Amino acid sequence: MLKEERLAKVYDQLSELGVSQMLVSDPVAIFYLTGKWLHPGERFLGLYLNAARQPQLFLNDLFRFEEEIGVNKVSITDTTDLTALLKQYVDPAKLLGVDKELAAKFLIPMYDAKLSDGIRNTSLAIDNARALKDAQEIEWMKESSRINDRAMAQFRALIREGITEKEAASQFLGIYQSLGASAYSFSPIVAFGANSADPHHMPDDTVIKEGDTVLIDVGCVYHDYCSDMTRTFFFKKEPSAEARRVYELVRNANESAEEMCRPGITLASIDKKARDIITEGGYGPDFTHRLGHFIGIQDHDFGDVSQANQNLTRTGNIFSIEPGIYNAAAAGVRIEDLVLITEDGHEVLNKYPKELQIIE
Amino acid sequence: MLKEERLAKVYDQLSELGVSQMLVSDPVAIFYLTGKWLHPGERFLGLYLNAARQPQLFLNDLFRFEEEIGVNKVSITDTTDLTALLKQYVDPAKLLGVDKELAAKFLIPMYDAKLSDGIRNTSLAIDNARALKDAQEIEWMKESSRINDRAMAQFRALIREGITEKEAASQFLGIYQSLGASAYSFSPIVAFGANSADPHHMPDDTVIKEGDTVLIDVGCVYHDYCSDMTRTFFFKKEPSAEARRVYELVRNANESAEEMCRPGITLASIDKKARDIITEGGYGPDFTHRLGHFIGIQDHDFGDVSQANQNLTRTGNIFSIEPGIYNAAAAGVRIEDLVLITEDGHEVLNKYPKELQIIE
């Protein structure tokens, strides 16, 4: 059913952008606004919004549904002239906002037909609304992270002599499902030893060996909302002095960045806090990515915690804090939690311990 | 390494379309032309082609690679003004072709900056080339379907008293991997009983029961190439006379459509052959989708076998033939193979039997 409060936020944002009509095409955005998942594949799907506030849903008959969700449904088929149909709704004398991901095959004919007086990417109107989680969203994201905490304990217990990264990872989905999650929020990362110094490593046939780091970066979906957490363990052996130092630097960067989180500070300042700690520790060049990303219905919602982002944190934001040091000679370590910005500070959604652990 | 023969096909197609420059952005198309998988996520990736035939690869530094693949690499970063950079390469006095999936966030600034004298969707230049498989692609697709045949026998053996659709499906990936496939080509469909009369059904907690149909629609990836096959079985009990009739109609539609396949006939005529058989049998309204789709690096490559497609078959085409009857009162049955168009006819890539089987 149409989410009136969310839609009101979007109308406000659109009017701030000076745009009075928008064609929303991203299935995630449409789910966010209507509560209805529609997966059109290569076909067109669009929710048209304008000042009249009577949304029109353009939907291929292949995906027709009877349920009433508070929008008028406009039927399209594989032979519909989409642009001609849109002309019956879109005001040609006004700018038209569209989603950032709208595909060229739909967009080029809109330009060719002069459907509107200019076209602008107004995804921000929805992305900014999505960045402010409401009470129900926060509840589901907390539960998603609670499941992730419990799952991490079980994933750790799988790491035994002789296991490969792939063998470990192949058991994660079943564990998540047994804990009440519906799916992965992204394909899990398991990296042993030198592999953990590659931030993009995917599980392969590497066999665990004594002294390895064990990096596990995982998340699940609960009620359509994502979790995402990373922990790095050591296997069977006390880490070298340098590996321990790397671990403690990353942990300090993670915890210090989390501690400062509150409404009204720049996202860049949070990244800087973590980055300065790692740089002062001598590993600046080995922290090769931004500190974090926003998360919600998608594992990567719009928005990041990076040196370039001067936007301010707001109550209801949820993002990751995930510093890392990727140094094959010393160790590859990443520690990641999700953080919710609350009115008077923050709450770390992940409770799984961060003290250095040696798996025996 | 740059695939010169494929690229030559694309240049020919572009010149037929009257377009002398194209910006290819689809990672699948770029893999097809360069042999290199690049996954830019939300970031820009582009391969610029023009009459000079010296492709330029626009690639974010985050995905930089040292390997030489026969194209000049143009570095971009998260702060690059992409349109300004493209202006140094694109001829502003000529039309620019782009991919059908190029996202609005990249395309709108190109219009705003008047990057070229018009923008056109020229995906067909690549899609038409991709529809003509070369010897290496055919070899990999045959092996992908051979694995799929062997896997189907193992999937059938999983169907026992008490099992749910989800429990069966959860074991498929391991079986594929043990047979040498790298992944699913799509999320597998397992549908018991009335569920098989819903062509979009996804595996759920439905428990198998005596007399059920068992529809299994599955495919895997081998050397980046997809397979896709459907078989429908019956569980423990002789089907009703009507269910048997539905099964044999679908099988006849499948086999008759396959038999006629050869170069130079319309794709619509193949769809018509199958549809006429089902319609004459009295179940026309229950065959609710097109007969098939092209397949290759993607499970759904561009192109379909449908009533609307008047294009001619060509040697090297590979597509699915998948008639179905979805009638909850009688039975939901689909039978699908992949077919290769050869110089003198066709080859059915799937060899798994199609005679009605009762799982005991």
Side-chain angles (χ1 to χ4, degrees):
Chain A
M1 205 60 194
L2 213 56
K3 310 285 182 194
E4 297 292 354
E5 281 183 33
R6 295 178 187 176
L7 209 50
K9 283 191 226 169
V10 171
Y11 286 124
D12 287 349
Q13 292 276 336
L14 280 175
S15 99
E16 272 183 41
L17 293 170
V19 175
S20 61
Q21 54 181 352
M22 179 172 181
L23 192 58
V24 182
S25 56
D26 177 2
V28 180
I30 290 175
F31 169 72
Y32 175 73
L33 294 174
T34 67
K36 179 83 184 169
W37 270 122
L38 292 162
H39 297 288
E42 69 259 34
R43 294 180 170 88
F44 184 77
L45 169 71
L47 182 71
Y48 175 69
L49 308 176
N50 69 4
R53 303 203 170 194
Q54 289 176 332
Q56 308 285 338
L57 183 69
F58 294 83
L59 181 70
N60 195 295
D61 283 355
L62 285 173
F63 308 105
R64 192 161 41 190
F65 58 95
E66 294 310 314
E67 180 189 349
E68 192 47 67
I69 59 164
V71 301
N72 182 49
K73 294 172 205 154
V74 183
S75 151
I76 52 183
T77 71
D78 284 354
T79 55
T80 300
D81 179 341
L82 179 66
T83 314
L85 179 66
L86 287 170
K87 274 193 167 177
Q88 299 172 32
Y89 297 85
V90 174
D91 184 342
K94 297 211 168 102
L95 253 176
L96 174 68
V98 298
D99 263 340
K100 58 184 182 290
E101 300 298 342
L102 181 63
K105 63 184 167 186
F106 303 124
L107 186 53
I108 291 174
M110 294 181 195
Y111 273 104
D112 290 347
K114 300 203 190 336
L115 181 65
S116 59
D117 183 26
I119 294 178
R120 195 186 290 175
N121 170 1
T122 51
S123 289
L124 259 189
I126 297 171
D127 290 332
N128 284 344
R130 282 172 56 187
L132 303 177
K133 267 67 180 174
D134 60 31
Q136 175 68 83
E137 291 180 294
I138 289 170
E139 187 185 318
W140 285 334
M141 290 198 69
K142 283 184 176 178
E143 181 60 20
S144 189
S145 280
R146 269 193 292 266
I147 292 172
N148 211 18
D149 284 341
R150 289 197 289 266
M152 182 64 82
Q154 296 194 35
F155 300 160
R156 179 194 188 285
L158 296 172
I159 307 302
R160 299 264 175 85
E161 203 85 61
I163 201 166
T164 68
E165 293 168 357
K166 266 193 185 166
E167 286 164 1
S170 70
Q171 300 173 66
F172 289 4
L173 186 58
I175 289 171
Y176 273 131
Q177 289 174 335
S178 74
L179 292 169
S182 58
Y184 287 138
S185 53
F186 59 96
S187 188
I189 295 176
V190 180
F192 297 159
N195 294 342
S196 67
D198 167 11
H200 295 122
H201 180 75
M202 292 311 292
D204 64 20
D205 297 322
T206 302
V207 179
I208 189 90
K209 57 183 199 309
E210 207 177 279
D212 273 353
T213 40
V214 176
L215 185 152
I216 300 180
D217 184 353
V218 285
C220 64
V221 177
Y222 176 77
H223 265 277
D224 298 301
Y225 282 82
C226 295
S227 52
D228 187 353
M229 169 174 53
T230 309
R231 290 293 183 268
T232 307
F233 307 103
F234 292 86
F235 189 65
K236 294 257 181 198
K237 217 169 101 180
E238 184 67 26
S240 69
E242 193 184 358
R244 181 175 283 276
R245 189 170 135 66
V246 161
Y247 187 92
E248 294 301 344
L249 268 174
V250 172
R251 180 180 160 198
N252 184 14
N254 166 282
E255 293 178 345
S256 301
E258 289 175 2
E259 270 160 31
M260 73 182 283
C261 285
R262 63 179 190 279
I265 61 173
T266 68
L267 290 153
S269 71
I270 309 174
D271 182 287
K272 185 172 189 306
K273 181 70 160 187
R275 203 164 299 276
D276 283 352
I277 289 169
I278 289 175
T279 302
E280 282 157 25
Y283 292 93
D286 296 328
F287 177 18
T288 49
H289 55 69
R290 62 192 178 183
L291 182 63
H293 56 84
F294 281 62
I295 181 168
I297 305 171
Q298 290 180 295
D299 175 45
H300 284 205
D301 265 12
F302 180 82
D304 64 13
V305 187
S306 72
Q307 294 171 281
N309 194 344
Q310 294 298 325
N311 290 331
L312 302 183
T313 52
R314 295 182 61 182
T315 303
N317 288 165
I318 298 183
F319 47 75
S320 68
I321 295 286
E322 48 179 309
I325 294 178
Y326 308 100
N327 184 306
V333 174
R334 180 167 62 254
I335 301 176
E336 173 188 23
D337 300 307
L338 297 189
V339 172
L340 162 69
I341 301 293
T342 59
E343 273 177 40
D344 52 1
H346 70 274
E347 182 178 341
V348 179
L349 302 192
N350 295 102
K351 318 291 185 193
Y352 190 87
K354 293 185 269 197
E355 291 76 23
L356 191 154
Q357 295 183 38
I358 297 168
I359 300 174
E360 288 305 336
Chain B
M1 204 60 195
L2 212 56
K3 310 286 183 191
E4 296 291 355
E5 282 183 32
R6 295 178 187 177
L7 209 50
K9 285 190 225 169
V10 171
Y11 285 124
D12 287 349
Q13 293 275 337
L14 280 175
S15 100
E16 272 182 43
L17 294 170
V19 174
S20 61
Q21 55 182 351
M22 177 171 183
L23 193 57
V24 183
S25 56
D26 176 1
V28 180
I30 290 175
F31 170 71
Y32 175 74
L33 294 174
T34 67
K36 180 82 185 171
W37 272 122
L38 293 162
H39 298 286
E42 69 258 35
R43 293 179 171 89
F44 184 77
L45 170 70
L47 182 70
Y48 175 71
L49 308 176
N50 69 4
R53 302 203 168 194
Q54 288 176 334
Q56 308 284 339
L57 183 69
F58 294 83
L59 181 69
N60 194 296
D61 283 355
L62 283 173
F63 309 105
R64 192 161 42 191
F65 59 94
E66 293 310 315
E67 183 188 346
E68 191 47 68
I69 60 164
V71 302
N72 182 49
K73 294 172 206 154
V74 183
S75 151
I76 52 184
T77 70
D78 285 354
T79 55
T80 298
D81 178 342
L82 180 64
T83 314
L85 180 65
L86 287 170
K87 276 196 165 176
Q88 299 173 30
Y89 296 86
V90 174
D91 184 342
K94 299 212 166 101
L95 254 175
L96 174 68
V98 299
D99 265 337
K100 59 184 180 294
E101 300 298 341
L102 182 64
K105 65 184 165 184
F106 303 124
L107 185 53
I108 292 173
M110 294 181 196
Y111 274 103
D112 289 347
K114 302 201 190 333
L115 182 63
S116 59
D117 183 26
I119 294 179
R120 195 185 291 174
N121 170 1
T122 51
S123 289
L124 259 189
I126 296 171
D127 290 332
N128 284 344
R130 281 172 56 187
L132 304 176
K133 267 66 178 175
D134 61 31
Q136 175 68 83
E137 291 179 294
I138 290 170
E139 189 185 318
W140 286 334
M141 291 198 69
K142 284 185 174 178
E143 182 59 21
S144 189
S145 280
R146 270 194 292 266
I147 292 171
N148 211 17
D149 284 342
R150 289 197 289 266
M152 183 63 82
Q154 296 193 36
F155 299 161
R156 179 195 188 285
L158 295 173
I159 308 302
R160 302 263 174 86
E161 203 86 61
I163 201 166
T164 69
E165 295 168 354
K166 265 192 187 167
E167 286 165 0
S170 71
Q171 300 174 65
F172 290 3
L173 187 59
I175 289 172
Y176 273 131
Q177 288 174 336
S178 74
L179 292 168
S182 58
Y184 288 138
S185 53
F186 60 95
S187 189
I189 296 175
V190 180
F192 297 158
N195 293 343
S196 68
D198 167 12
H200 294 123
H201 180 74
M202 292 311 293
D204 64 20
D205 296 322
T206 302
V207 178
I208 189 90
K209 55 185 200 307
E210 208 177 276
D212 273 353
T213 41
V214 176
L215 186 152
I216 301 181
D217 184 353
V218 283
C220 64
V221 178
Y222 175 77
H223 265 277
D224 298 299
Y225 282 83
C226 295
S227 52
D228 188 354
M229 169 173 53
T230 309
R231 290 295 182 268
T232 307
F233 308 103
F234 292 86
F235 189 64
K236 293 254 181 203
K237 216 170 102 180
E238 184 68 25
S240 70
E242 193 185 359
R244 181 176 282 277
R245 191 171 133 68
V246 161
Y247 187 92
E248 294 302 344
L249 268 174
V250 173
R251 180 179 160 198
N252 184 14
N254 166 283
E255 292 178 345
S256 302
E258 288 176 1
E259 271 161 28
M260 75 183 283
C261 286
R262 61 178 191 280
I265 61 174
T266 67
L267 290 153
S269 70
I270 309 173
D271 181 286
K272 184 171 190 306
K273 181 70 159 189
R275 202 165 300 274
D276 283 352
I277 290 169
I278 289 174
T279 303
E280 282 157 25
Y283 292 92
D286 295 329
F287 177 18
T288 49
H289 54 68
R290 62 191 179 184
L291 182 63
H293 56 84
F294 281 62
I295 181 169
I297 305 171
Q298 290 180 295
D299 175 44
H300 284 205
D301 265 11
F302 180 83
D304 64 13
V305 188
S306 72
Q307 294 171 282
N309 193 346
Q310 294 299 326
N311 290 331
L312 302 182
T313 52
R314 294 181 63 182
T315 303
N317 288 165
I318 298 181
F319 46 75
S320 67
I321 296 286
E322 47 179 310
I325 293 177
Y326 308 100
N327 184 305
V333 174
R334 180 166 64 253
I335 301 178
E336 173 187 24
D337 300 308
L338 297 189
V339 172
L340 163 69
I341 302 294
T342 59
E343 273 178 38
D344 53 0
H346 71 273
E347 183 179 340
V348 179
L349 301 192
N350 294 103
K351 318 292 186 191
Y352 190 88
K354 292 184 270 197
E355 291 77 20
L356 190 152
Q357 295 183 39
I358 298 169
I359 300 174
E360 289 304 338

